[in-house]
Amino acid sequence: MYGYSKLEWLSAKVPGHVHLDLMANGVIADPFENLHELGTRWVDAEDWVYKTEFDYVPDPTLPRVLLAFAGLDTVAAIYVNGVKLAEHDNMFVGFELDVSAALRPGSNELRVVFSSAERVGAERRARYFASEALPENLVHFDARAFVRKAQYMFGWDWGPRLISAGVWGKVELVQYRGRIRSVHVKQRHLDDGKVELSFHSECDGAGDVVHQIAGVPGVFRDGEVLRLDTPELWWPRGFGEQRLYEVTSLLVPNASASGDALERDAFDRRTTRIGLRRIALRREADTFGESFEFECNGKRVWCVGANWIPDSTFPAVVDRARVRGQVERAVGLNMNMLRIWGGGIYESEDFYDACDELGVLVWQDFPYACSFYPDGPQAQAVARAEATAAVKRLRNRASLAIYCGNNENLTMYQDKWTDASRHPPRYYGEHLYDRVLPEVVREFDGERPYIPSSPCGGPRANSDGFGDQHYWDVWHGRGDWKFYEDSKTRFASEFGFASAPGRKALAQCAAQSPTPLALPLRDLRARWHDKTKKGYETFIQYVELHYPKSETLEDWLYYSQLNQRDALRHGIEHYRRSEFCKGSLIWQLNDCWPVQSWAVIDSAFELKAAAYELCRLHAPGMLSIERSEGVVRLWTVLDNASQSLSAEATLEARSLTDGKLLERWSAAVTLEPGARRVAVEANVKSFDPATTLIAASFAGTSSFRLLSEPKEARFSEPRLRVSIDAGQLVIASERPVVDLYFWDDSVELGLADNFITLPAAGTRRIALRSTPRNLRARSLAGKHAISLTETA
C-alpha cells in the first residue's frame, strides 16, 4: 500500500531493465532528461520481483528441460511454482536451471527476485573488509567491486548512476535429448601458407559431434584435422577481404551415417563462423624501449580506432541494427580497431558479428575497471567460471585480437590515485589478472595474446617507451591539448578531450525548455549532464584557451566540439608522425546517454566535429601540419598500405579576408609503406597570424590551420550561396570560410562532411541523405543566413 493506493503488478518487458519498466508505467520520469536521474535513486535501493506464467507440454522424446536465462542483472533468486530453485549472481554469465522435476503439465509460474545490487555490494564490502582487517575509508574499493555487474552502471565520468536490475537477456524453456554446448575450431598456420583446422566440442547427452564447412567437402569428427591447401585469409579492413567460413556442427547418434542421415537424425546443430588469420602482439626491445605492435597474417598493423563503451545505460535496448550502425560509423571514420573497455560488458553476438564482417579488430578487456577487487579463493572461482564462459564464446571470432585483464587497476595502485594514505596495503585483484585470467585464456583459447592490465609495460604501468599508455596528462593534468606532443607511448590505448554533444542530445539534457540551446552556458541541467569531474569552469577555460567565449549552449556546442577536434587531431598526428608509436585508440567512440563527454558520436548518433576529422586522420595516407616558432612543416605519412604512394605535397598561405594566395610551397613525394617524413618546410614569420590561413594537400586529402588562435583571428563575411543538386549540398563562397557547420533541427541531414573549410572563393559539394527544411549555418565568422535553392 502507498497511502490509500494499492500498487498492482506492473507490466514489464523482457529483455529489459526495471527503470525502463517504471518509465513505461508512468512511475518515474525519463532519467536521461533534465535532473531526473536524481529522482530515481530510490529505485536502486529496492528489491524487485518479476513474474510470468508459461505452459509446459512434456515430450518424452526430450527428457531434459532447462530454463535458460541469457542475462540476469544481477543478484537473483529463481522460483518456479513458489519453490526457490536457485540463485544467480553474475550479470555477465548466462544461467541454466534444470526444471525437469519442478514443472507440471500446463500452466507454471516463474518468479525472479532481484535484491538491490547497491545494498548487497555494500554488505559484502563490509564483511570482506572485516575479514581482511581493512579500514572503512579506503578509496577505489567501493561496493561495485563486490557485485559482478557492469561497473559503469554505478556511475562514471561520462555516465549516470542508474544501477538498475532486471531480466536483461532473453529467457527460454529448452527441452532436449542432447545438445552441443560449445565448439572450438583451432587453427594452425603452416610456413607454406597452408592452414590446418581441428575441431573440438563439448556436449550434453549421448552421441557424436561431426563438423562440416560450407564449400569444403568432407565430414569431420572431433579431433580430426582438415588441411586447407589454398586458404582464403581473413584480414583487418584496409588489408584485404574479410572471408568467413561457416562451420556446421551436428550432434548425431552415429557419426558414420551419410550426409542426409546426419542432418535428419541430428539432436542439435550449431553454426560457427571463423576467419583464417594469425594474430600476434610484437613486444620487442628497441632503441625506444619495448615495442607494442599488432600483426595479422604476418603484416604489421598500425591500429587506428577508439574505445567502445556500452551503447546505452540500459544495455538490453541495444539491438542488432543499432550496434551494426555504430560499428559501421566507426568504419566510416576509417577505424580498424575497437577496444571493449573493462567497465562495461562482454559485448553482444551482434557486435562481434559486425566486427568480423567489417574487418574491425577487437581489443577485449575483462570487465574489471578502476578499482581494487576481492581476489581470494571464492572470488577466483567466480572469475574463473565467468572468464571460461566468455572465452569459450569469443574464441572463434576472427576479429578478436587480444585479451586484457582490466582497465587501469594496476596504474591506479602504482600511482596511488586520489589519496595514497587510503589505499589498501597490496594490489587487491592481482590474483585474478596475474593467475586466473591468463590460465583461462591459455587453456580455452591459446591463439591470442593476453596482457594483465591496460596500461601495462615498463617499470611502471603507464610509462613512456613500454607497452600501451593511457595519456591523460592533458585532460586530467595540464589541460591544454598541445601537451600531447610530450607523450612517447608505444601504443596510445586511451586519450581524449571532452565536448558538448550534438543538438538533439544537448536539447534532451534540458528537455522542458522550449528553446534549450538558447539557454545560458552555465544552465544547471547542462552542468548536471557533465560528469567529467573536471569542474565546469575548468572545462570552459580549456575551450577558451583557443576559442571565443560562449554565451549560450549553442555557442558551447560549436566551440567545444571544435576544440575537441583540434585536441584529437594534435594527438593523433603526433602519434602517427612518430617512429615509436604503433596505435592510437581515442577515448571514446560512443555515449550511453545524453552527456558532455569525450565521445565523437553522441547518444543521438550525431557525429561531432572531431568525427569528421577522424576520416582524414585515420586514412592510410595522412598529412599533418606542424607549427613551431614561425615555421610550418608539412608531414606525409603512409601506414597500412601494400604499395608506395607518390604525389605532390603542397602548402599554401592564404589571406583570411579575401583568399588571396600569399605564398606556395610544394615538393614531389614518394612514400614507401610505413614511411613518415617532412615533405615541405616553410617560414611563415612574415605573415600576419590573425589574417592568415595555412592550407595543405597531398594525394587527394587536405588540411587547414589558422596561424593564430581562432579567438584572435579576423574573418570576413564569406557571402555564401547554398543549393541542392542531385542529392548533394552545393556550397559556394566568395571568400574563405572556416569550420562551416550546417544543421537542421527539423530533419537529420546525414551530411557526408561538416565543419568544412574553403580556403578561397570556390565551391564544395557534399552528399546528404535528407532534403533540408530549415537549413542553418555558422562558421568562425559567425552565423549565416541561408537561402536554399534547389536545382531542377
Side-chain angles (χ1 to χ4, degrees), residues 109-293:
E109 184 192 70
L110 169 65
R111 287 196 186 209
V112 182
V113 179
F114 292 98
S115 298
S116 163
E118 182 177 57
R119 185 188 70 248
V120 170
E123 293 169 350
R124 291 176 180 172
R125 180 182 188 268
R127 290 196 298 270
Y128 188 79
F129 275 32
S131 69
E132 295 284 306
L134 295 173
E136 169 65 25
N137 68 342
L138 292 184
V139 292
H140 306 298
F141 210 167
D142 299 328
R144 67 175 175 86
F146 296 85
V147 185
R148 290 307 296 147
K149 172 181 173 63
Q151 302 286 270
Y152 79 104
M153 298 175 83
F154 290 83
W156 221 266
D157 55 5
W158 37 258
R161 183 178 174 88
L162 296 167
I163 301 172
S164 207
V167 184
W168 82 285
K170 65 181 180 179
V171 184
E172 296 178 295
L173 186 66
V174 181
Q175 298 175 255
Y176 67 98
R177 175 180 172 187
R179 62 174 182 153
I180 301 169
R181 294 185 61 85
S182 70
V183 172
H184 188 192
V185 184
K186 296 183 179 180
Q187 305 183 21
R188 182 167 174 254
H189 291 249
L190 307 179
D191 292 339
D192 60 3
K194 297 180 174 62
V195 176
E196 290 182 346
L197 303 178
S198 60
F199 305 89
H200 309 268
S201 64
E202 298 175 355
C203 60
D204 289 340
D208 299 321
V209 180
V210 296
H211 311 270
Q212 300 169 308
I213 299 184
V216 178
V219 177
F220 307 92
R221 299 191 186 194
D222 271 4
E224 285 194 87
V225 175
L226 164 65
R227 175 175 289 191
L228 298 175
D229 293 333
T230 56
E232 299 176 57
L233 300 182
W234 181 95
W235 292 94
R237 63 177 306 274
F239 286 82
E241 298 299 316
Q242 288 77 52
R243 172 67 161 97
L244 295 170
Y245 289 80
E246 187 172 285
V247 179
T248 300
S249 303
L250 303 172
L251 177 61
V252 296
N254 183 2
S256 61
S258 65
D260 291 341
L262 290 174
E263 289 281 353
R264 183 187 66 242
D265 298 336
F267 305 146
D268 193 19
R269 64 182 292 139
R270 175 178 289 226
T271 300
T272 306
R273 292 194 306 173
I274 63 169
L276 306 180
R277 78 288 168 270
R278 290 173 296 159
I279 295 288
L281 175 61
R282 299 299 181 191
R283 303 186 69 176
E284 301 165 344
D286 58 22
T287 57
F288 303 107
E290 183 184 77
S291 64
F292 193 99
E293 183 175 18

Side-chain angles (χ1 to χ4, degrees), residues 4 9-10 30 49 60 113 150 152 159 211 222 225 296 306 315 350 378 392 414 464 502 527 532 549 669 723 778:
Y4 289 95
W9 282 96
L10 303 176
D30 187 345
V49 183
V113 179
Y152 79 104
H211 311 270
D222 271 4
V225 175
C296 185
D350 298 329
Q378 181 180 0
K392 286 182 177 181
Q414 290 180 339
D464 279 338
R527 287 188 283 123
T532 61
K549 291 183 181 296
V669 176
S723 60
R778 72 180 296 169

Side-chain angles (χ1 to χ4, degrees), residues 70-129:
L72 292 172
D73 177 18
T74 293
V75 184
I78 298 99
Y79 294 77
V80 174
N81 296 325
V83 178
K84 181 178 178 180
L85 297 185
E87 295 179 345
H88 185 62
D89 189 12
N90 195 316
M91 181 181 180
F92 305 119
V93 180
F95 181 63
E96 294 182 344
L97 176 62
D98 188 335
V99 292
S100 304
L103 298 184
R104 57 198 178 209
S107 180
N108 293 262
E109 184 192 70
L110 169 65
R111 287 196 186 209
V112 182
V113 179
F114 292 98
S115 298
S116 163
E118 182 177 57
R119 185 188 70 248
V120 170
E123 293 169 350
R124 291 176 180 172
R125 180 182 188 268
R127 290 196 298 270
Y128 188 79
F129 275 32

